[in-house]
Amino acid sequence: MTLQEYDYARESPSKLAASCLLLALTMKNLGGWTPTLEYYSGYSARDLHPLVKRLNFLLTYQPRDKLNAVRSKYSHRVFFEVAKVTPMDMLKLEETLTSC
């Protein structure tokens, strides 16, 4: 989704990927940002918090008329129906991020 948003073009791809991973881990309650993830990514969880919040905002307020083919594809069970996952509540995300 970020490929079509100009605001994300200035972010480094590694930071964007790490933020996406942290958001996914948080959304699925799979744990937080571990020391191993910090070591190999080069980013602390605190470094990623602002971008994670922006990504969740993008998921929450995405226009429904764009990317219909992509949404349809990733709504299939072969892709674990990831397009159907609901974004986190912004306040809950804030609480979760501050605790890690």
Side-chain angles (χ1 to χ4, degrees), residues 66-82:
K66 293 168 63 177
L67 304 172
N68 286 329
V70 174
R71 188 172 295 107
S72 175
K73 176 180 177 177
Y74 288 98
S75 293
H76 195 272
R77 66 184 179 138
V78 171
F79 296 103
F80 304 101
E81 298 177 336
V82 296

